[in-house]
Amino acid sequence: MDPDARRSRGSAAPSGPPAVRAAGAALRGLAPYAFFIEREVAGLAEIVRPGHVCLDIGAEYGLYTCTLADLAGPGGRVLAVEPLPGPAAFLRSAVRALGAGHVCVVRGAVGADEGPGALSLPLRRGLPVHGRAFLTTGAEGVGPNVEFAGERAVATRVTTLDALVEGAGLDRIDFVKADVEGAELRVLDGGRRTLRDHRPALLLEIEDRHLAKYGARATDVVERLAGLGYRMSVWVAGAWRPVDRVREGHRNYLFTAEPRH
């Protein structure tokens, strides 16, 4: 099936639990104004439809997860993947409280290969900075995390995008968001079959300062996906607008697959 045709299915509004709908609407409404919500959250409604199957890789406390749960609705599925025990436990509790039975929280990291791994969790004044933790596999040094006074290692299980999809028995993937502090290419390496067979839309955080510790650059990510037939956009002034390179002032980039002929 043409990926674009597949994504057009289910145009009706989602009819999930009221708490999920309220949380999703609130997050999208606040995204342009609240510093703690990425502005791209407001643009998810342009991409995710009822019935879609979505992955939130690096879910942390679930701002994207809750929004995706609302947009996909009970006819869809959301896998929220978070390697740190504290945020993962919080997210599981939040999902239960919201009654989001179509959301599954998976504790683990996503990389190029399956196996044991470790995260470097930076500390500021002795407190963990969860949003800057990164998988040490394949990394040299701590990159921009040198700004923090300390770090601690957190053991985690590493899986791949392909293994996640297969293990969950998913026969479609419509959207993948990944915030992995520079390991974007490793996620893509472990998801070749998923990208080939399902052609999901991808929302990736891309910053040279984080990629450098893995020996990669922003242009490497862009070129890899361009070679797979993906087009890149950024969320500006209430719309996804095409761009041809990573630009100053933007961290998150949407990649959509060109139709196959």
Side-chain angles (χ1 to χ4, degrees):
M1 179 183 289
D2 184 329
D4 284 355
R6 181 189 64 194
R7 291 191 183 100
S8 69
R9 295 192 309 180
S11 58
S15 57
V20 174
R21 298 202 308 271
L27 288 167
R28 293 196 303 278
L30 288 170
Y33 314 106
F35 72 91
F36 58 91
I37 304 175
E38 293 185 338
R39 59 194 176 196
E40 289 79 12
V41 166
L44 293 179
E46 303 295 322
I47 308 300
V48 179
R49 299 285 185 264
H52 276 189
V53 177
C54 308
L55 270 65
D56 182 1
I57 299 173
E60 200 177 2
Y61 291 106
L63 298 182
Y64 276 92
T65 299
C66 291
T67 307
L68 294 172
D70 171 36
L71 294 172
R77 288 188 67 183
V78 178
L79 265 64
V81 187
E82 172 54 47
L84 293 170
F90 173 89
L91 187 51
R92 284 195 179 102
S93 297
V95 166
R96 285 195 297 270
L98 292 171
H102 58 301
V103 177
C104 177
V105 179
V106 178
R107 190 186 159 203
V110 179
D113 302 288
E114 294 184 272
L119 297 163
S120 172
L121 176 61
L123 304 173
R124 178 188 287 129
R125 301 186 186 92
L127 298 176
V129 184
H130 296 114
R132 291 283 290 273
F134 67 89
L135 188 63
T136 59
T137 305
E140 291 289 338
V142 298
N145 283 7
V146 69
E147 69 184 84
F148 298 107
E151 63 171 319
R152 77 167 183 258
V154 179
T156 187
R157 183 73 184 172
V158 183
T159 187
T160 67
L161 178 56
D162 286 343
L164 271 173
V165 172
E166 182 178 359
L170 302 175
D171 60 3
R172 61 182 286 183
I173 297 291
D174 299 287
F175 177 82
V176 177
K177 167 259 179 182
D179 182 349
V180 290
E181 300 302 296
E184 290 77 21
L185 280 174
R186 301 188 69 81
V187 172
L188 298 181
D189 285 342
R192 289 188 174 94
R193 186 170 63 250
T194 298
L195 297 182
R196 180 195 67 209
D197 294 346
H198 300 286
R199 311 291 283 165
L202 307 169
L203 182 63
L204 306 179
E205 182 185 70
I206 305 177
E207 292 187 88
D208 274 319
R209 63 180 184 140
H210 294 304
L211 286 158
K213 63 180 174 284
Y214 295 98
R217 302 170 302 163
T219 53
D220 298 328
V221 180
V222 174
E223 290 173 2
R224 169 79 68 85
L225 288 168
L228 295 174
Y230 276 83
R231 298 168 292 190
M232 183 168 66
S233 304
V234 293
W235 182 253
V236 178
W240 291 107
R241 305 185 186 277
V243 291
D244 58 2
R245 66 185 186 279
V246 169
R247 296 171 179 248
E248 190 71 25
H250 296 279
R251 292 187 305 171
N252 298 312
Y253 295 82
L254 176 69
F255 294 85
T256 52
E258 296 179 356
R260 284 176 172 161
H261 299 290

